[in-house]
Amino acid sequence: MSALEVNLLKLYVPLVAWVSLGLVLGYTLPQRIPLQLGKFLFWIGVPVSILAFLRQADLSGAVWVAPAAAWAAIALGILLAWLWIKCQTYLHQWHDRNAMPGWLSKFVGRSSPEFWSRPTQGSFLLSSMVGNTGYLGYPVTLALVGPPYFAWALFYDTLGSTLGAYGVGVAIAARFGMSAQNHWRLLQAIVSNPALWSFFIGLGFRRVPLPSAVEDGLRLFAWTVVALSLLLLGMRLSQLTSLRSMQQASVSLGIKMVLVPLLLGTGLAHIGIHGPPHLVILLQMGMPPAFATLVIAEAYNLDRELTVTSLALGTLGLLAMLPIWVWIGR
């Protein structure tokens, strides 16, 4: 058994344990607890952990490939999702005009104007393009690849997923949603995001020497934040109350978590990205949809049921997909 496979087995125990504990606590504790924990992680925990892990990260090599890969994944996810919507819409229209074999009718699914309404299209595109590369991608990368390559995950998330969600994601939501009154507020989230600020501050001060006690304290705090992030993930999953739109959610997850990593991961290998950096990017590409998609969907009145279903199924599906990406990326 390789070292990566051993690390994968070691990851599953704390990953499942912390998320499961979060699920239990989410059902029993007042709703203000996960809200307060989320605020703590957003404003203090994650920014400080970024500073800590950046001090251990190796920034040599082609680390800037990571955000480029993130934007390529966003673009490919949007393209494949848009093509699927167009294909399904055409088949629905054709189905309404013609009789078709039973197997094809099942493939096309139900035929109704609401099946691909504009809010549903917006949620489908969002779920296919941006992943949970922060709260979930960070601990997975740290456990499977280690702190020296954390910068690849950080660049992917900060300069890719975050900007993509609140940039391209907001633009898509404004186009397909029923309300565009909050788009400036969501765009401001990019500038006010403390993780983005700590990223640039950490780059500037990562070589500044600190007392060993401070370094050890930062490292302990950073790993504590990893555990709390998984705990919060479980709490948020406990608040999801709908698992409808299974067919559309399954397709969006197939695009987001299978096709995009497979196609772009193969392309990265052909341009010389191998080893741990390749694995980090594969893992980040394979993350389930980000919780930011739910925030945006609610602000713009998109299809919340589809978004919630994609979040829940994607988080569960990650456990099945991780061994595949470890095997491909090693």
Side-chain angles (χ1 to χ4, degrees):
M1 184 177 292
S2 68
L4 279 177
E5 290 168 336
V6 171
N7 289 339
L8 183 62
L9 292 176
K10 291 181 179 178
L11 168 66
Y12 272 66
V13 174
L15 180 64
V16 174
W18 282 109
V19 173
S20 298
L21 178 59
L23 280 169
V24 174
L25 294 177
Y27 286 121
T28 57
L29 294 177
Q31 291 190 358
R32 59 182 175 83
I33 300 299
L35 179 62
Q36 292 173 351
L37 177 58
K39 289 182 177 180
F40 167 76
L41 290 175
F42 181 79
W43 291 107
I44 300 175
V46 171
V48 174
S49 68
I50 287 174
L51 294 174
F53 285 127
L54 264 180
R55 298 183 68 83
Q56 309 172 53
D58 181 9
L59 298 185
S60 63
V63 69
W64 288 97
V65 170
W71 282 102
I74 290 171
L76 182 58
I78 293 173
L79 175 62
L80 293 176
W82 180 81
L83 290 175
W84 180 264
I85 291 172
K86 292 301 180 184
C87 177
Q88 284 276 286
T89 301
Y90 172 79
L91 288 175
H92 279 300
Q93 293 173 348
W94 187 75
H95 177 252
D96 291 339
R97 297 191 304 265
N98 305 275
M100 64 173 62
W103 65 269
L104 185 57
S105 179
K106 292 180 179 179
F107 172 77
V108 173
R110 56 182 174 173
S111 179
S112 68
E114 293 78 19
F115 189 75
W116 283 117
S117 65
R118 291 184 64 81
T120 298
Q121 292 181 48
S123 287
F124 187 82
L125 290 168
L126 286 178
S127 298
S128 303
M129 61 172 272
V130 64
N132 190 351
T133 53
Y135 287 120
L136 191 53
Y138 287 172
V140 168
T141 299
L142 288 166
L144 293 180
V145 190
Y149 294 94
F150 178 70
W152 289 76
L154 183 59
F155 276 53
Y156 189 105
D157 173 65
T158 308
L159 300 182
S161 298
T162 300
L163 296 180
Y166 291 104
V168 178
V170 166
I172 289 175
R175 177 174 176 80
F176 290 94
M178 298 179 180
S179 171
Q181 59 184 355
N182 294 318
H183 67 283
W184 288 115
R185 179 176 58 83
L186 288 175
L187 286 174
Q188 289 170 358
I190 299 175
V191 178
S192 62
N193 190 331
L196 193 62
W197 285 99
S198 68
F199 169 74
F200 290 110
I201 293 173
L203 287 179
F205 290 92
R206 64 187 302 267
R207 294 303 182 187
V208 175
L210 294 175
S212 59
V214 176
E215 289 279 10
D216 293 340
L218 280 173
R219 206 158 21 241
L220 177 61
F221 181 85
W223 282 105
T224 302
V225 167
V226 169
L228 291 177
S229 297
L230 295 174
L231 192 70
L232 178 62
L233 177 62
M235 290 181 176
R236 285 178 170 172
L237 287 175
S238 71
Q239 297 172 349
L240 304 182
T241 58
S242 173
L243 284 178
R244 301 177 186 177
S245 306
M246 295 287 288
Q247 178 185 347
Q248 292 159 313
S250 298
V251 174
S252 70
L253 294 175
I255 293 172
K256 171 70 189 66
M257 300 178 66
V258 180
L259 286 179
V260 169
L262 189 61
L263 294 174
L264 293 183
T266 303
L268 288 172
H270 279 90
I271 64 173
I273 305 298
H274 301 286
H278 185 225
L279 177 57
V280 171
I281 294 178
L282 271 179
L283 292 173
Q284 290 290 68
M285 286 181 178
M287 288 297 112
F291 274 95
T293 60
L294 182 57
V295 174
I296 297 172
E298 290 179 338
Y300 285 85
N301 292 324
L302 298 179
D303 190 335
R304 188 180 185 278
E305 289 185 356
L306 173 56
T307 302
V308 167
T309 304
S310 299
L311 288 174
L313 291 182
T315 303
L316 293 175
L318 178 65
L319 297 177
M321 293 305 302
L322 279 177
I324 297 175
W325 300 134
V326 169
W327 179 74
I328 293 176
R330 63 182 176 179

